[in-house]
Amino acid sequence: MGAEDTEDVGHIGRIGHAEHFGQVERVGGGQGAGSTGAALAGLATELVDARFKGLPPDADGLTVGELAAQRRNLFTGGFTTPVLALSAERLAHNLELMETYAARHGLAFAPHGKTSMAPQLFHRQIGHGAWGITLAVPHQVRVARAFGIQRVFLANELVDPAALRWIAAELAADPGFRFVCYVDSVRGVELMDAALPAAGAGTRPLDVVVELGAGEGARTGVRTEAECAAVADAVAAAPSLRLVGVAGYEGEVPRADPERVRAWLRRLVALAADFDKAGRFAGTSLEEIVVSAGGSAWFDVVADVFVEIPELSLPVLKLLRSGAYVSHDDGRYREVTPFNRVPEEGALEPAFLLWTQVVSRPTPEQAFVNAGKRDAAYDLDLPLARAVRREGAPERPATGISVTGLSDQHAWLRTAPEADLEVGDWLGLGLSHPCTSFDKWQLIPVAEADGTVVEYIRTFF
């Protein structure tokens, strides 16, 4: 797994964040790792103010870098509830675990950046061996490029002319920029070729992979191998495009179980082999063939099947794209993580905790805290009550407390007889689904186990 050139990223989270990525120093165009560091360092100049939920009111007017340097305590340093925090130790653990897993299984890794949309975390992931970053839409690519990400895998077909022209300009300006995206239709190929400048007119061809659909009724992707061949033929006839491999998303396999997922992945591997045998990658100046899959629920099966990829005419980049691991969660991904099936390989740890405060205790069986749908992910599962803090007392488990519903700014709690909860207590909630947790918070404190806030993560949704 080759990691792109970058500076030491161990300190990146401590240097703050910028108000708008367009205002920081531009780092595309081959300006190199030094400019990447300047862009990240420039984020420290953003002023703390009322835009950012949960931060101490008396920190207004400080820069994020100045606030980080104060190393305030999350519980005694003036932070207001609700406030979402990431565990410094668990974040580091998750990054290291997936780096080790990918290396052990011979996989390149392009974690899906849509999960966090946090350039600081992108660079940490790269610092932990990631090949690049997967993204889904043009805006996300612009964020990544503004902070110097040199390898992007776009897990989507891109047919927007303005976005395609921008990508072409990025490729022309920066010889070190690698961009790969899906194609899943002949029509899409035609639209892409019409929007892109002709290859050879000061640009490089845009690299594409044919997306194999996960089955009837699944999301995007070409449904049959014959249709895949037709899309590949269309790419061959488009001077602005270059076919570099095949890809897909096994998480969309209908009624997914290990055998159904395995069967689809073997179709993907066979498609790559068939394309190679037919000479579809010949004469295109390729150095490798891309075969890519891998969400956060089945990467163990991806690893097993990708071992079966036969020797092809070129080396194969076996590209895994799981993204939720960076924070993991206390709900859906805790239940479906492949590490449940392969516990000998380790275990991810939920790194999020949403700290709320009890604002009403109307009956012995009911309580309300001051965080709701505007603060907590709720698209997959309700939050889980994890911990209680009371002034002057040690943190303890949230025994007998459960979340039964969410309003915009309140969580509804059911409290059993053994629950010890009163107005004013802080209640820590574990969240389900990282992708819809990060996007509710623009600036996220990262706290060590004793509550010391050591950095702030800026998101760009």
Side-chain angles (χ1 to χ4, degrees):
M1 289 170 45
E4 68 187 80
D5 292 337
T6 186
E7 63 184 89
D8 174 22
V9 295
H11 72 287
I12 285 174
R14 294 176 170 77
I15 58 180
H17 317 269
E19 182 170 354
H20 299 293
F21 70 82
Q23 294 178 343
V24 302
E25 180 180 353
R26 187 70 177 87
V27 296
Q31 294 183 43
S35 292
T36 298
L40 289 165
L43 299 177
T45 62
E46 184 163 20
L47 293 179
V48 175
D49 58 30
R51 291 169 299 156
F52 302 123
K53 298 188 292 185
L55 299 191
D58 67 353
D60 280 10
L62 296 176
T63 67
V64 174
E66 290 168 341
L67 179 58
Q70 292 182 355
R71 295 176 63 85
R72 296 197 188 194
N73 188 280
L74 186 69
F75 308 109
T76 62
F79 291 84
T80 63
T81 58
V83 59
L84 181 68
L86 276 166
S87 161
E89 295 86 358
R90 292 183 171 198
L91 179 62
H93 168 83
N94 293 343
L95 289 167
E96 291 166 6
L97 180 63
M98 283 304 293
E99 177 185 18
T100 300
Y101 183 88
R104 181 185 300 129
H105 291 278
L107 300 169
F109 190 30
H112 211 317
K114 72 174 174 63
T115 297
S116 71
M117 283 310 298
Q120 296 154 284
L121 294 182
F122 294 173
H123 280 280
R124 290 191 187 182
Q125 291 168 311
I126 290 165
H128 280 278
W131 171 91
I133 299 295
T134 296
L135 296 163
V137 294
H139 163 259
Q140 295 170 359
V141 182
R142 290 184 62 204
V143 172
R145 289 297 290 157
F147 289 92
I149 300 302
Q150 287 293 87
R151 296 190 186 124
V152 170
F153 185 100
L154 187 73
N156 221 337
E157 184 168 66
L158 180 58
V159 295
D160 183 310
L164 285 163
R165 289 191 294 268
W166 178 80
I167 292 291
E170 290 288 294
L171 290 167
D174 185 356
F177 177 38
R178 178 86 191 273
F179 179 84
V180 180
C181 76
Y182 283 174
V183 288
D184 88 336
S185 65
V186 172
R187 173 63 173 162
V189 169
E190 293 170 347
L191 290 171
M192 294 172 77
D193 190 48
L196 288 165
T203 66
R204 291 180 278 153
L206 190 148
D207 288 346
V208 297
V209 289
V210 172
E211 181 193 5
L212 176 66
E216 206 56 47
R219 198 166 60 191
T220 57
V222 186
R223 293 309 196 242
T224 70
E225 280 73 2
E227 291 171 306
C228 286
V231 173
D233 287 341
V235 172
S240 64
L241 303 179
R242 180 174 71 162
L243 182 67
V244 300
V246 298
Y249 175 46
E250 76 290 340
E252 281 292 311
V253 169
R255 304 180 306 282
D257 62 28
E259 289 314 305
R260 288 189 177 95
V261 170
R262 194 177 304 274
W264 178 82
L265 285 164
R266 285 178 171 149
R267 282 183 62 200
L268 184 70
V269 168
L271 183 65
D274 289 347
F275 276 11
D276 191 48
K277 185 177 180 181
R280 295 188 183 280
F281 304 120
T284 57
S285 303
L286 282 185
E287 296 180 357
E288 61 192 5
I289 296 168
V290 177
V291 181
S292 179
S296 296
W298 298 104
F299 56 74
D300 59 328
V301 184
V302 173
D304 288 346
V305 174
F306 277 13
V307 170
E308 303 172 5
I309 296 177
E311 184 174 348
L312 302 182
S313 62
L314 293 167
V316 177
L317 183 72
K318 303 174 183 179
L319 194 60
L320 182 70
R321 306 193 308 272
S322 312
Y325 80 98
V326 68
S327 65
H328 197 47
D329 76 0
D330 269 307
R332 171 68 173 169
Y333 288 102
R334 184 186 61 181
E335 295 171 358
V336 304
T337 176
F339 288 115
N340 292 338
R341 294 186 291 271
V342 288
E344 67 278 7
E345 301 238 34
L348 294 168
E349 297 177 353
F352 272 137
L353 213 54
L354 174 61
W355 285 101
T356 68
Q357 197 164 25
V358 180
V359 293
S360 181
R361 190 81 161 94
T363 73
E365 297 80 29
Q366 195 174 37
F368 293 86
V369 293
N370 62 345
K373 293 178 181 179
R374 302 298 174 88
D375 313 296
Y378 59 92
D379 55 320
L380 294 180
D381 302 290
L382 290 172
L384 292 176
R386 285 304 197 194
V388 176
R389 296 186 66 95
R390 182 173 295 164
E391 187 174 0
E395 184 175 311
R396 54 185 166 82
T399 304
I401 303 169
S402 59
V403 178
T404 60
L406 294 177
S407 300
D408 278 355
Q409 301 292 177
H410 292 89
W412 297 56
L413 307 181
R414 179 182 296 119
T415 52
E418 67 270 24
D420 178 13
L421 196 67
E422 60 185 35
V423 171
D425 288 348
W426 282 38
L427 178 66
L429 300 178
L431 303 179
S432 179
H433 198 187
C435 299
T436 48
S437 299
F438 277 103
D439 70 0
K440 298 178 184 302
W441 295 83
Q442 295 182 64
L443 197 59
I444 304 172
V446 178
E448 293 179 339
D450 66 356
T452 301
V453 176
V454 294
E455 55 190 290
Y456 296 83
I457 299 297
R458 181 68 153 101
T459 64
F460 289 86
F461 284 94

